[in-house]
Amino acid sequence: MSAKGKRGTAVPGPVGVIGLGHMGSAMAANLVKAGFEVVGTDIVARYRSALKKAGGTALADARAVGERSRRIILSLPSEAALQAVCADLAASCLAGTIVIETGTLPLAAKIRARDGLAGSGVTLLDCTLSGTGAQAKTRDLAVYASGDTRAIKAFRPIFAGFARACYDLGEFGNGTRMKFVANLLVAIHNVAAAEAILLGVRSGLDPATLVEVIGNGAGSSRMFQVRGPSMVNRTWDEAMITGKVFQKDLKLIGEALKDAASPAPLFCATLPLYTAALAAGHGEHDTAAVYEVFERMAGMIPEAAPGPRGRKAR
Amino acid sequence: MSAKGKRGTAVPGPVGVIGLGHMGSAMAANLVKAGFEVVGTDIVARYRSALKKAGGTALADARAVGERSRRIILSLPSEAALQAVCADLAASCLAGTIVIETGTLPLAAKIRARDGLAGSGVTLLDCTLSGTGAQAKTRDLAVYASGDTRAIKAFRPIFAGFARACYDLGEFGNGTRMKFVANLLVAIHNVAAAEAILLGVRSGLDPATLVEVIGNGAGSSRMFQVRGPSMVNRTWDEAMITGKVFQKDLKLIGEALKDAASPAPLFCATLPLYTAALAAGHGEHDTAAVYEVFERMAGMIPEAAPGPRGRKAR
Amino acid sequence: MSAKGKRGTAVPGPVGVIGLGHMGSAMAANLVKAGFEVVGTDIVARYRSALKKAGGTALADARAVGERSRRIILSLPSEAALQAVCADLAASCLAGTIVIETGTLPLAAKIRARDGLAGSGVTLLDCTLSGTGAQAKTRDLAVYASGDTRAIKAFRPIFAGFARACYDLGEFGNGTRMKFVANLLVAIHNVAAAEAILLGVRSGLDPATLVEVIGNGAGSSRMFQVRGPSMVNRTWDEAMITGKVFQKDLKLIGEALKDAASPAPLFCATLPLYTAALAAGHGEHDTAAVYEVFERMAGMIPEAAPGPRGRKAR
Amino acid sequence: MSAKGKRGTAVPGPVGVIGLGHMGSAMAANLVKAGFEVVGTDIVARYRSALKKAGGTALADARAVGERSRRIILSLPSEAALQAVCADLAASCLAGTIVIETGTLPLAAKIRARDGLAGSGVTLLDCTLSGTGAQAKTRDLAVYASGDTRAIKAFRPIFAGFARACYDLGEFGNGTRMKFVANLLVAIHNVAAAEAILLGVRSGLDPATLVEVIGNGAGSSRMFQVRGPSMVNRTWDEAMITGKVFQKDLKLIGEALKDAASPAPLFCATLPLYTAALAAGHGEHDTAAVYEVFERMAGMIPEAAPGPRGRKAR
């Protein structure tokens, strides 16, 4: 039953994937392509069907995955889901199973989950992911792994099946801590991009040229490259992450800052902009919509329709 | 007397370079390597000597350069220097000469210079540069060219001799405007890097790992990659740009924002940090020293290091 | 058994006070002085003794207060305390009892408490207080009353016994909402005072003169008048409210802003300063200690003073 | 010719007032009422006429005032005006004349003016004023006097004629320095008021009640009391100080902060709001119009017409 990964490492039985949303389904599909046997589940039926189409085996629930697999990936939307799934796994997994928790969730919740599984001889790793759903599809993810070093090592062949890089960051929780640092920068760079584009547009520069030129120079950031085009093309209705969902990330970063007693003036300066984006009706839009908040501040009255807007204040 | 550039375009006589500091000397050296005849000058004698060593011809002053060259590059430190040099060039250049102004200076000063030279039939272009002195040495510069399109076209072979890319941004002044947008982001991303590293360090992450991992992910920026290592290694005494000199850039960005009536909350949030860096004795250090301001805020008492520290509380 | 208040209004039996800390004890004492019979309790024995000395009657617990009194004041430190006390009151109070909740607590907790008491025919009012413990002693409080209008009216004679003013703000919760608005300003004005004093001191102005002159002019705020002297005299170890306790208020304001989707750039800009004050060891000091954070930022090395200082840099 | 002030001190001849705008005319009128002989001038003819109506003597120009008066008050709008007037006074004043400069102007300009007059034996004092034009009318001004102590003492009877208080702040320039500290707070408290009112309004509180209750509590500031009503009543077209003119003050504060190397996060956080107010067309409105910028940020679309606006987002 044991699969032989492309990279020639013996993997004890199928890889389990619990949670088959954007990230989970992309990881599962890439693992199938890499030669792994994949079993998975999700509470949404059509996500299970999609797994079958991608070449995996859909199981009824987390317990079933726990019974079949010694290497399990969790890709869950909330603390509550993590708690429920871990209760099932504690009841079903064999001792020696390794489970990686890939979500951006409160660290305290991950610690509780780890401790709960430890009683059953199951090792939970805190392995956050750097990359969007789109990047997950092209295997363009980095894994911020943390926890038991030997378990991380044992999981490496599987990481290689869905990610381009994996860092062993040491102590359990460092994966989440690193993710918070990354997300703090994501939050800032997104707003910075909007602020910079506004200056350019109001100075009379051509928006498309601006995005190309700046994205290629000393002022560039990954976020500028990713979201700058959405800002000038006003395509924030195609959300990579919605303003509403991002609030969860902002809250977690805020708590991490408080726990570390770390002052963060730029991060704090982004908060009113994200709040304003929600207030102005962009809750279901991509976070690139903060650009419209800047336009509003500058008195650039939003038109009703799609298409490029003017740059003149009244 | 006309040189034939590597790219096979006839260039009317030598290329002039006025101002042979970090940027100017690097451009001159690369032009020599690219097969151009280069004449240049600087008020500092040893900079003129360095040009000779690099294979160029050192002339006594700007007027002499104006007499010898139809294609001139200005790399000057201040508005006053620009004014003085342009007065000399107006008196010495033949009509048809093209001069490119590469500095980050007030746009009004560049416009005055352009208008002053126009009377002598000399075309001034506003061509700011994206890249540091180190990048200039490896020809890793981008030119933000603006002004007369035909003059930009005529200068292209020379741009190719010292830069990897050249954008024609249209109307005179757009080069400077684009540079301000880039610098606004540089100012923000540098402080953001410090803020993020502090969070990581105070969360218990290894600084070196942090800089590597974050610099390679969604939270990365060019500035994080460039200055993050200086922050964690505390090597800000090796200045790419000193805190004091950067004040000039901050002021110009501030004026650009005011002229465009463009609100910039993140840029404004960086100002107290840069001010604090000066107050704490980092005027001659690289701007990466803002990291120490964050440490101070967080009560991390600075080690007794060499060099002046700030004023005592009264 | 019914007392006749100074103002001649019949009050049905004694006034109950549950929670006899700074605020509760001051209110109880003033009610005694105003001619009311007061019964009260606290889980801390010496607070109960203090009530006896002040002329009131100490009872064993909240249930006993609920049995004796038809007009009850709650002055509790936490959501948990509110929940526990209200469970006791629901079990012991007669229908028709009016209870006022005076704390700064999450509005959701107050709503739950109100709904829980409603089943027993007990009316809970949300009546926050404006003023410090010191002001409570001199009856210099304002009540931000909200909830059932008739109940507020019925309570007015008692309000008059411990406060100088009472506003009926309408719908239940408006008392808390108004308090959040006031506290947002308190948070900002305190940091603004520190920032202004730093500018004055670094400009060479005499600190004591500065505090007097500014406190009396167009730039003044209540907080400047209250905390400015603590800043220049460095007396923040005498806490009106500690940095640590104030974190609770900051969190509640943050949640109120989020609930209202109301952007608050200045409030957000204060957060890193308050965080830094905690990091620098001012958790048990008055919030006026943010002034020292400003000094640190400006490189004014803190004098070797008694008491703990912050963590060392690596 | 010498007038006897109410306070019985001999004043050598008439008091001169140069600059008869809002502040100057109010001071002149109050000095007349206080029994002083007043001579004055302004380049605007109708301001000179108004002085006559108020009981003073209008002279043709500054030189004429210099010839007639030994005690002169300057109330000028700009650095250029100060320079011109002082040139005239240097040419016309007798040695021993005392001139007080009351404007909020760059300190360097005042120093130049002082040095220029010193050659003619004329003493210039730096005496900024705390209070608005409306307060000037009711003699509700405070004088921040600085410079030669004996000259300040000699001027005291005149101060008493137009101000309620006068502080001798020491060294020349301290008047201006103190004014910058006050103005920094004015800038912050105005934006803080807008931010707080927005939270209240979006939380469902009645705006008028809010302004009354908050203005009377711990969160109050002089600015909240003065501008809060303008915000909720949307009467910012009646400007005490316009957004455009206030830019000059913001710039001076910014320079003072830079000169003192004093970090000012809250002041910096106000800048984008004031810029946005200009961008949104409030240049000629009172600075209370920042409230509308907050509304815009929150997606509260402004109605086209005058009169009160809605408070609902979307």
Side-chain angles (χ1 to χ4, degrees):
Chain A
M1 193 64 70
S2 153
K4 201 84 161 149
K6 259 183 188 162
R7 281 150 204 82
T9 311
V11 176
V15 176
V17 181
I18 302 177
L20 297 166
H22 279 299
M23 300 298 286
S25 62
M27 290 189 281
N30 280 321
L31 286 167
V32 169
K33 279 184 213 156
F36 289 91
E37 184 189 349
V38 174
V39 300
T41 194
D42 197 290
I43 52 172
V44 178
R46 74 193 150 84
Y47 287 180
R48 294 196 302 270
S49 308
L51 177 63
K52 273 186 248 177
K53 271 187 202 153
T57 303
L59 301 179
D61 52 26
R63 186 177 288 252
V65 174
E67 282 161 3
R68 283 286 302 280
S69 176
R70 304 282 72 80
R71 298 288 181 268
I72 300 174
I73 299 167
L74 305 186
S75 181
L76 301 168
S78 71
E79 199 176 331
L82 175 62
Q83 199 178 348
V85 163
C86 286
D88 284 348
L89 294 181
S92 60
C93 285
L94 287 185
T97 300
I98 302 172
V99 181
I100 66 164
E101 210 307 299
T102 65
T104 304
L105 297 172
L107 187 47
K110 294 199 178 195
I111 290 171
R112 273 195 301 274
R114 178 197 62 181
D115 295 347
L117 288 169
S120 310
V122 175
T123 302
L124 186 76
L125 298 175
D126 167 38
C127 297
T128 56
L129 303 175
S130 174
T132 61
Q135 289 175 290
K137 282 188 187 165
T138 58
R139 222 178 58 88
D140 184 18
L141 294 178
V143 180
Y144 298 166
S146 66
D148 184 85
T149 302
R150 292 208 320 196
I152 292 173
K153 205 173 165 190
F155 223 97
R156 280 202 179 268
I158 304 173
F159 289 141
F162 68 81
R164 66 172 159 78
C166 172
Y167 302 95
D168 179 347
L169 299 177
E171 173 185 337
F172 187 92
N174 282 353
T176 287
R177 291 181 189 105
M178 190 67 83
K179 187 68 192 287
F180 289 154
V181 173
N183 280 357
L184 174 131
L185 286 166
V186 163
I188 294 171
H189 292 167
N190 180 49
V191 173
E195 183 170 317
I197 292 171
L198 189 82
L199 171 59
V201 166
R202 289 181 70 86
S203 301
L205 297 174
D206 174 62
T209 306
L210 169 71
V211 165
E212 182 200 346
V213 171
I214 296 294
N216 196 23
S220 190
S221 70
R222 194 77 194 95
M223 275 309 108
F224 186 95
Q225 294 168 336
V226 166
R227 293 220 159 77
S230 308
M231 291 175 187
V232 303
N233 298 325
R234 316 183 81 75
T235 53
W236 44 68
D237 47 331
E238 302 157 22
M240 279 175 283
I241 180 165
T242 66
K244 222 167 182 173
V245 169
F246 197 56
Q247 287 290 319
K248 190 198 69 167
D249 284 330
L250 293 174
K251 198 184 168 195
L252 290 173
I253 300 165
E255 287 167 3
L257 288 164
K258 198 180 278 186
D259 288 349
S262 202
L266 295 197
F267 173 73
C268 290
T270 71
L271 297 177
L273 283 313
Y274 287 116
T275 295
L278 288 194
H282 295 299
E284 300 303 328
H285 294 161
D286 190 74
T287 55
V290 292
Y291 182 63
E292 211 209 36
V293 174
F294 276 92
E295 292 181 312
R296 283 170 181 276
M297 283 182 77
M300 296 152 81
I301 294 167
E303 289 156 30
R309 309 262 155 105
R311 63 172 209 250
K312 274 284 146 245
R314 279 179 307 157
Chain B
M1 190 63 67
S2 152
K4 203 79 164 153
K6 259 184 187 161
R7 281 149 204 82
T9 311
V11 176
V15 177
V17 181
I18 301 177
L20 297 165
H22 280 299
M23 300 299 286
S25 62
M27 290 188 281
N30 280 321
L31 286 168
V32 169
K33 279 184 213 156
F36 289 91
E37 183 189 350
V38 175
V39 299
T41 195
D42 196 289
I43 53 172
V44 178
R46 74 191 151 87
Y47 288 180
R48 293 196 301 271
S49 309
L51 176 62
K52 274 186 246 176
K53 271 187 203 155
T57 304
L59 301 179
D61 53 25
R63 185 176 289 253
V65 175
E67 283 161 3
R68 283 285 303 280
S69 175
R70 303 284 72 78
R71 297 287 180 269
I72 300 174
I73 300 168
L74 305 186
S75 181
L76 301 168
S78 70
E79 199 176 330
L82 175 61
Q83 200 178 346
V85 164
C86 285
D88 284 349
L89 294 181
S92 61
C93 285
L94 287 186
T97 300
I98 302 172
V99 180
I100 66 165
E101 210 306 300
T102 65
T104 304
L105 296 173
L107 188 47
K110 294 201 180 195
I111 290 171
R112 273 195 301 273
R114 178 197 62 182
D115 294 347
L117 287 168
S120 310
V122 175
T123 302
L124 186 76
L125 298 175
D126 167 40
C127 297
T128 55
L129 302 175
S130 175
T132 62
Q135 289 175 292
K137 283 188 187 166
T138 58
R139 222 178 57 89
D140 185 17
L141 295 178
V143 180
Y144 297 166
S146 64
D148 185 87
T149 303
R150 293 208 320 195
I152 292 173
K153 206 172 165 191
F155 224 96
R156 281 201 178 267
I158 304 173
F159 289 140
F162 68 82
R164 67 171 159 79
C166 172
Y167 302 95
D168 179 347
L169 299 178
E171 174 185 337
F172 187 93
N174 282 352
T176 288
R177 291 181 190 104
M178 189 67 82
K179 188 70 193 288
F180 289 153
V181 172
N183 280 358
L184 173 131
L185 286 165
V186 164
I188 294 170
H189 292 167
N190 180 49
V191 173
E195 183 170 317
I197 292 170
L198 190 81
L199 171 60
V201 166
R202 290 181 70 86
S203 302
L205 297 175
D206 174 62
T209 306
L210 169 71
V211 166
E212 182 201 345
V213 170
I214 296 294
N216 196 22
S220 189
S221 71
R222 193 77 195 98
M223 276 309 107
F224 186 95
Q225 293 168 336
V226 167
R227 293 220 159 77
S230 309
M231 292 176 187
V232 303
N233 299 325
R234 315 180 81 76
T235 53
W236 44 69
D237 47 330
E238 301 157 22
M240 279 175 283
I241 180 165
T242 67
K244 222 167 181 173
V245 169
F246 197 55
Q247 286 291 320
K248 190 198 69 169
D249 284 330
L250 293 175
K251 198 184 167 194
L252 290 173
I253 300 165
E255 287 167 2
L257 288 164
K258 199 180 276 185
D259 289 347
S262 202
L266 294 196
F267 174 74
C268 290
T270 71
L271 297 176
L273 283 312
Y274 287 115
T275 295
L278 288 194
H282 295 299
E284 300 303 327
H285 293 161
D286 190 73
T287 55
V290 291
Y291 182 62
E292 211 210 34
V293 174
F294 276 92
E295 292 182 313
R296 283 170 180 277
M297 283 182 78
M300 294 153 81
I301 295 165
E303 289 154 31
R309 278 274 148 62
R311 310 188 206 176
K312 277 231 357 115
R314 275 180 308 157
Chain C
M1 192 61 72
S2 154
K4 205 72 168 163
K6 259 185 186 157
R7 282 148 204 84
T9 311
V11 176
V15 176
V17 181
I18 302 177
L20 296 165
H22 279 301
M23 300 298 285
S25 63
M27 291 188 280
N30 280 321
L31 286 167
V32 170
K33 279 183 213 156
F36 289 92
E37 183 189 352
V38 174
V39 300
T41 195
D42 195 291
I43 54 173
V44 177
R46 72 190 151 87
Y47 287 1
R48 294 196 300 271
S49 308
L51 176 62
K52 272 186 249 179
K53 270 185 203 156
T57 304
L59 301 179
D61 53 24
R63 186 177 288 254
V65 175
E67 282 162 2
R68 284 285 303 280
S69 176
R70 302 284 73 80
R71 298 287 181 270
I72 301 174
I73 299 169
L74 305 185
S75 182
L76 302 167
S78 70
E79 198 175 332
L82 175 62
Q83 200 177 345
V85 164
C86 286
D88 284 349
L89 295 181
S92 60
C93 285
L94 286 185
T97 300
I98 302 172
V99 180
I100 66 164
E101 211 305 301
T102 65
T104 304
L105 296 173
L107 188 48
K110 294 201 179 195
I111 289 172
R112 273 195 301 275
R114 177 198 61 182
D115 294 347
L117 288 168
S120 309
V122 175
T123 301
L124 186 76
L125 299 175
D126 167 39
C127 297
T128 56
L129 302 175
S130 175
T132 61
Q135 290 175 290
K137 282 187 188 167
T138 58
R139 222 179 56 89
D140 184 17
L141 295 178
V143 180
Y144 298 167
S146 65
D148 185 85
T149 304
R150 293 207 320 195
I152 292 172
K153 205 173 164 191
F155 224 97
R156 281 203 178 267
I158 304 173
F159 290 139
F162 68 82
R164 66 170 159 80
C166 172
Y167 303 95
D168 179 348
L169 299 178
E171 175 185 337
F172 186 93
N174 282 353
T176 288
R177 291 181 190 105
M178 189 66 83
K179 188 70 192 288
F180 289 154
V181 172
N183 280 358
L184 173 132
L185 286 166
V186 164
I188 295 171
H189 292 168
N190 180 49
V191 173
E195 183 170 318
I197 291 171
L198 189 81
L199 171 60
V201 165
R202 289 181 71 87
S203 301
L205 297 175
D206 174 61
T209 306
L210 169 70
V211 165
E212 182 200 345
V213 171
I214 296 294
N216 196 22
S220 189
S221 70
R222 194 75 195 96
M223 276 308 108
F224 186 95
Q225 294 167 336
V226 166
R227 294 220 158 78
S230 308
M231 292 177 187
V232 304
N233 298 326
R234 314 180 82 76
T235 54
W236 43 69
D237 47 331
E238 301 157 21
M240 278 174 285
I241 180 165
T242 67
K244 222 167 183 174
V245 169
F246 197 55
Q247 287 290 319
K248 191 198 70 171
D249 284 331
L250 293 174
K251 197 183 168 195
L252 290 173
I253 299 166
E255 287 167 2
L257 288 165
K258 198 181 278 186
D259 289 348
S262 202
L266 295 197
F267 173 73
C268 290
T270 71
L271 297 176
L273 284 312
Y274 287 115
T275 295
L278 288 194
H282 295 299
E284 300 302 329
H285 294 161
D286 190 74
T287 55
V290 292
Y291 182 63
E292 211 211 35
V293 174
F294 276 93
E295 291 181 313
R296 284 170 180 275
M297 284 183 77
M300 295 152 81
I301 295 166
E303 289 153 30
R309 278 273 150 61
R311 309 189 208 175
K312 273 219 22 102
R314 284 172 311 144
Chain D
M1 191 62 71
S2 153
K4 206 66 166 161
K6 258 185 189 161
R7 280 149 204 84
T9 312
V11 176
V15 176
V17 181
I18 302 177
L20 296 166
H22 278 301
M23 300 298 285
S25 62
M27 290 188 281
N30 280 321
L31 286 167
V32 169
K33 278 185 215 157
F36 290 92
E37 183 188 351
V38 175
V39 300
T41 194
D42 196 289
I43 52 171
V44 177
R46 73 192 150 86
Y47 287 180
R48 294 195 302 270
S49 308
L51 177 62
K52 273 186 248 176
K53 270 187 204 154
T57 304
L59 300 179
D61 52 27
R63 186 177 288 253
V65 175
E67 282 161 3
R68 284 284 304 280
S69 175
R70 303 282 72 78
R71 297 289 180 266
I72 300 174
I73 300 168
L74 306 186
S75 181
L76 302 168
S78 70
E79 199 176 330
L82 175 61
Q83 199 177 345
V85 163
C86 286
D88 283 349
L89 295 181
S92 60
C93 285
L94 287 186
T97 301
I98 302 173
V99 181
I100 66 164
E101 210 308 299
T102 65
T104 304
L105 296 173
L107 187 48
K110 294 200 179 193
I111 289 172
R112 273 195 300 276
R114 177 197 63 181
D115 294 348
L117 287 169
S120 310
V122 175
T123 301
L124 186 75
L125 299 174
D126 168 40
C127 297
T128 55
L129 302 175
S130 175
T132 61
Q135 289 176 290
K137 282 188 189 166
T138 58
R139 222 179 57 88
D140 184 18
L141 295 177
V143 181
Y144 297 167
S146 65
D148 185 85
T149 303
R150 293 205 321 192
I152 291 173
K153 205 172 164 191
F155 224 96
R156 280 201 180 270
I158 304 173
F159 290 141
F162 67 82
R164 66 170 160 79
C166 171
Y167 302 95
D168 179 347
L169 299 177
E171 172 184 337
F172 187 93
N174 282 354
T176 288
R177 292 181 189 103
M178 189 67 83
K179 187 70 192 287
F180 290 154
V181 172
N183 280 357
L184 174 131
L185 286 165
V186 164
I188 295 171
H189 292 167
N190 180 49
V191 173
E195 184 170 317
I197 292 171
L198 189 82
L199 171 59
V201 166
R202 289 182 70 86
S203 301
L205 297 174
D206 175 62
T209 306
L210 169 70
V211 166
E212 182 200 345
V213 171
I214 296 294
N216 196 22
S220 190
S221 70
R222 194 76 194 97
M223 276 309 107
F224 186 95
Q225 293 167 337
V226 166
R227 293 220 159 78
S230 307
M231 292 176 187
V232 303
N233 299 326
R234 315 184 81 76
T235 53
W236 43 68
D237 47 331
E238 302 156 22
M240 277 174 284
I241 180 164
T242 67
K244 222 168 184 173
V245 169
F246 197 55
Q247 286 290 320
K248 190 198 69 169
D249 284 330
L250 293 174
K251 198 182 168 196
L252 290 173
I253 300 165
E255 287 167 2
L257 288 165
K258 198 180 278 185
D259 289 348
S262 203
L266 295 197
F267 173 73
C268 289
T270 70
L271 297 176
L273 283 312
Y274 287 116
T275 295
L278 288 194
H282 295 299
E284 300 303 329
H285 293 160
D286 190 74
T287 55
V290 292
Y291 182 64
E292 209 210 37
V293 174
F294 276 92
E295 291 181 313
R296 283 170 180 277
M297 283 184 77
M300 295 152 81
I301 295 166
E303 288 155 30
R309 309 263 153 105
R311 64 173 209 248
K312 272 285 146 244
R314 287 179 303 159

